[in-house]
């Protein structure tokens, strides 16, 4: 356990006692977007926070700051490997220290309740146990190096649509067994030093409130029952009240200064609406956090202890770890024709095809975004790995993006100076010019660049259409604005919301309009004017959004597909990379469906038909439908792989690293089978009507066959499962244990690598409880272990099944209990591929003595 042998609260309480109310309240909301205030009288330095979970973005003080970009969490989850997750947590800690960050706002332990969830890529899994186990490992890694995790978003914030408004309606049992479960597990196993309260709310039948005000779940369960002693931090701009949030258990309102806290909170204390002891408790929690991350002077010491030094810049070892995670998390879904690995022998040419081959989607959008220190495209990775005499050609095969590319800078001219780019005049409220600049880009979205004196930003440019034919233009802006082309208004907006525009991601997904312009045979010049009112987004700053996009006449998608298919036919091997992109997977919105965007299905089908040695790689974080999956000779799920994408894919394709990933979620074959197809609130409510049957549990309940089940992944060797033995440690139902408690069962599984190569196997254990009428899942993931073996080697995997796996939450007694009956434990390669089974009987509330174990076909 990484928590220091602290806190001695007596000493901390003494410090708090000496502070006056206003000074205490000042500490409970941010000094700015990412920092908490310092208080020299307490020996407190500013605690700095930054987003995860794909890396550590930093505070943005340096606009050119870059960082390590890791594979998205669902890619890490696919490795099912706690040791790897812990190492990645350590890397995040090093990166945080490098950037002066004390608290990384990660990991995310919301669940992939619906495959269309916008932040699906940020979540680990649809399964609570897999989520909790891996998140605990990340937290251990971070905190072992003195950097705080911030476990988020507490709780049941599993979708994005109207996220600041909706209430998730779910019963206590579903909360306990599914959505609270990963939070409880991580608290028990890794003791995170901070937790974030979600934007959304929960209606659990006893209390319906936003999570920043949910007394029962925050104060009673999280802090009371589970003994969590750190601060509960609001999600950014999620604080909606003074008294209700202060009483409900929120400790820190971020970003700051939050106008609803500060002075109004002090007044509420003076008016007797908030007990001052609550304020003291919040400060105490803040001090515990500060002490744990080394931002609190200790008595007898002159200053904050200096954390151990970290390398000033990212190192080759760190790049290698990111590459390892991306390669090992890759899931080999299918390899019918033994296409993989592509040994250089006999392969003289490779055609790399697909919209995502040309523009890989490396990370999801939203607050998790990290400007990467470097990126290795698929083309670069393959070119570096293939022998020089192997020909590599690249073909897009049609654009999958709905939006046009940003206008090229060289086509844009400032009408004032003649310089390249778009001219911006900053105007005050009376229309007087108070500043300006010229930028050589069609992407003119700008944060926090405008002081209160700047009310409007007037953008002007001349766009030169050089080629004859039909040009397409597209504009995207948010807030109040108007866009005109040659004096004619083509788009206008009247949205005067402030921070809500940030929270719904309107800045990267703004209202837009496309138009077509004929250039004539001589080409043409257009005058573009974008008149933008600066959006005041509170703690997020003052910003404008303006996108100027342009596509000159070019080949149609059908022509591009035909060209790519011809290249596939001519090459020895075709590698097709299809997937999602920044228009599809992001915080701020949920997807409308599961289809691959654009003409990608058509492209894949035609390439497969053209070349029997085709490898299809899916570059997506969340499920997409693959209607051609049964025809693909080889099929890999390549995730949102982070900065080392190209090296990782080359490692897998050329047989250097085994794609040993297993799906952490179920891949549907048909949209109509999906248990929770959308998460749109109805009358402000997202109804978790499926109860405890989340993800693969619902597929089992409904008896439906997915394209690939939860836990599936082939790797590149074969395994024979030989035996399972149980150590029937008794479990006491009378004194419920934490899920990480020592109680439960231990399984020893013997298996042999009977294939030709060394490989990794994820031994998965699914518990089938008695169907005693209490609506239990058909099977639930109860434990797993990852082992490695040489060809022919026999190994044993030790899998712990916690007592909690047997238990259900009894709403009547408000306690866990283990229903008696016969439980079967299936050991195998996925939720649908059992190889061994053992049974245990629970007759007096304790599982004991297995009475049968049998191999399955
Ligand atoms: C997200 C959080 C994030 C915060 C700060 C919010 O919009 O929901 O996950 O940590 O912004 O960027």
């Amino acid at each position: 356990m990484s928590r220091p042998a602290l806190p001695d609260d007596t000493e901390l309480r003494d410090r708090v006692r000496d502070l006056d109310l206003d000074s205490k309240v000042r500490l409970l909301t941010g000094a700015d977007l990412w920092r908490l205030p310092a208080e020299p009288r307490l020996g407190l330095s500013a605690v700095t926070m930054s987003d995860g979970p794909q890396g550590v973005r930093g505070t943005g003080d340096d606009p050119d700051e870059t960082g390590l970009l890791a594979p998205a969490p669902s890619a890490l989850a696919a490795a099912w490997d706690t040791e790897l997750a812990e190492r990645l947590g350590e890397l995040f800690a090093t990166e945080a220290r490098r950037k002066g960050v004390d608290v990384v706002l990660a990991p995310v332990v919301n669940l992939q309740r619906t495959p269309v969830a916008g932040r699906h890529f940020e979540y680990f899994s649809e399964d609570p146990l897999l989520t909790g186990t891996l998140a605990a490992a990340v937290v251990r890694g971070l905190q072992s190096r003195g950097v705080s995790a911030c476990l988020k978003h507490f709780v049941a914030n599993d979708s994005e649509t109207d996220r600041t408004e909706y209430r998730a309606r779910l019963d206590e049992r579903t909360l306990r067994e599914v959505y609270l479960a990963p939070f409880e597990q991580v608290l028990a196993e890794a003791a995170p030093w901070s937790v974030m309260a979600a934007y959304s709310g929960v209606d659990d039948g006893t209390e319906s409130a936003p999570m920043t005000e949910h007394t029962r779940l925050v104060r009673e369960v999280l802090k009371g029952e589970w003994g969590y002693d750190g601060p509960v931090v609001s999600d950014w701009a999620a604080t909606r009240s003074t008294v209700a949030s202060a009483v409900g258990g929120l400790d820190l309102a971020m970003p700051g200064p939050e106008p609803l806290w500060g002075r109004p909170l002090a007044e509420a204390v003076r008016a007797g609406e908030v007990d001052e002891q609550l304020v003291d408790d919040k400060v105490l929690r803040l001090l515990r956090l500060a002490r744990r991350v080394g931002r609190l002077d200790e008595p007898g010491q002159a200053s904050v202890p200096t954390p151990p030094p970290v390398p000033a810049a990212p190192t080759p070892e760190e790049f290698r770890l990111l590459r390892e995670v991306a390669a090992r998390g890759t899931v080999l879904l299918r390899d019918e024709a033994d296409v993989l690995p592509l040994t250089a022998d006999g392969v003289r040419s490779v055609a790399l095809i697909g919209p995502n081959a040309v523009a890989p989607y490396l990370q999801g959008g939203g607050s998790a975004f990290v400007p990467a220190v470097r990126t290795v495209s698929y083309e670069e990775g393959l070119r570096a790995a293939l022998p020089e005499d192997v020909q590599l050609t690249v073909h897009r095969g049609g654009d999958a993006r709905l939006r046009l590319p940003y206008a090229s800078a060289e086509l844009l001219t400032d009408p004032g100076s003649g310089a390249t780019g778009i001219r911006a005049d900053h105007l005050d409220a009376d229309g007087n010019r108070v500043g300006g600049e010229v930028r050589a880009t069609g992407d003119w979205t700008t944060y926090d660049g405008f002081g209160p004196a700047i009310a409007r930003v007037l953008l002007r440019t001349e766009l030169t259409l050089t080629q004859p034919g039909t040009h397409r233009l597209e504009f995207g802006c948010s807030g109040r604005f108007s866009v005109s082309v040659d004096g004619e208004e083509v788009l206008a907006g009247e949205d005067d919301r402030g921070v809500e525009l940030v929270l719904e991601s309107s800045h990267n997904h703004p209202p837009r309009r496309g138009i077509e312009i004929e250039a004539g045979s001589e080409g043409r010049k257009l005058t573009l004017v974008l008149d933008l009112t600066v959006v005041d987004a509170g703690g997020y700053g003052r910003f404008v959004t303006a996108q100027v996009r342009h596509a000159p006449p070019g080949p149609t998608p059908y022509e591009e597909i035909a060209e790519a298919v011809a290249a596939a036919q001519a090459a020895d091997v075709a590698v097709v990379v299809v997937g999602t992109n920044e228009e599809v997977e992001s915080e701020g919105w949920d997807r409308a469906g599961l289809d691959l965007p654009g003409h990608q299905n058509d492209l894949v089908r035609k390439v497969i038909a053209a070349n029997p040695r085709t490898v299809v790689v899916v570059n997506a974080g969340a499920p997409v439908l693959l209607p051609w999956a049964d025809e693909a000779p080889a099929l890999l799920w390549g995730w949102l792989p982070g900065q080392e994408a190209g090296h990782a894919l080359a490692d897998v394709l050329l047989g250097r690293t085994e794609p040993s990933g297993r799906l952490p979620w179920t891949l549907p074959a048909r949209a109509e089978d999906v248990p929770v197809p959308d998460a749109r609130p109805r009358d402000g409510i997202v109804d978790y009507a499926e109860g405890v049957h989340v993800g693969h549990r619902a597929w089992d309940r409904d008896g439906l066959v997915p394209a690939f089940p939860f836990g599936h992944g082939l790797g590149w060797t074969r395994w024979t499962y030989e035996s399972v033995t149980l150590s029937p440690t008794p479990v006491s139902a009378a004194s419920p244990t934490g899920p990480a408690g020592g109680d439960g069962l231990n399984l020893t599984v013997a298996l042999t690598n009977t294939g030709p190569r060394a490989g990794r196997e994820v031994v998965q254990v699914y518990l089938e409880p008695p169907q005693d009428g209490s609506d239990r899942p058909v099977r639930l993931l109860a434990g797993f272990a990852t082992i490695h073996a040489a060809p022919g080697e026999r190994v044993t995997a030790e899998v712990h099944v916690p007592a909690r796996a047997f238990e259900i939450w009894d709403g009547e007694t408000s306690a866990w209990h283990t229903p008696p009956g016969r439980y079967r434990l299936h050991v195998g390669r996925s939720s649908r591929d059992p190889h061994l089974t053992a049974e245990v009987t629970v007759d007096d509330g304790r599982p004991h003595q297995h009475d049968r174990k049998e191999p399955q076909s």
Side-chain angles (χ1 to χ4, degrees), residues 34 51-52 57 105 108 119 122 152-153 157 163 196 199 235-236 367 503 540 587:
W34 301 113
D51 269 311
R57 189 173 59 251
L105 304 173
V108 188
R119 299 181 83 167
E122 279 192 70
K152 67 188 188 183
H153 310 85
N157 178 188
R163 64 175 171 165
M196 184 187 286
Y199 288 121
D235 199 341
W236 263 230
S367 60
L503 301 184
Y540 280 102
E587 176 181 343

Side-chain angles (χ1 to χ4, degrees), residues 477-502:
C477 303
S478 54
R480 283 177 185 278
F481 62 89
S482 77
V483 178
S484 67
V485 176
D486 283 348
E488 192 184 322
E489 186 174 90
V490 294
L491 181 66
E494 289 295 329
D495 193 338
D496 60 4
R497 291 172 303 158
V499 67
E500 282 296 322
L501 291 173
V502 176

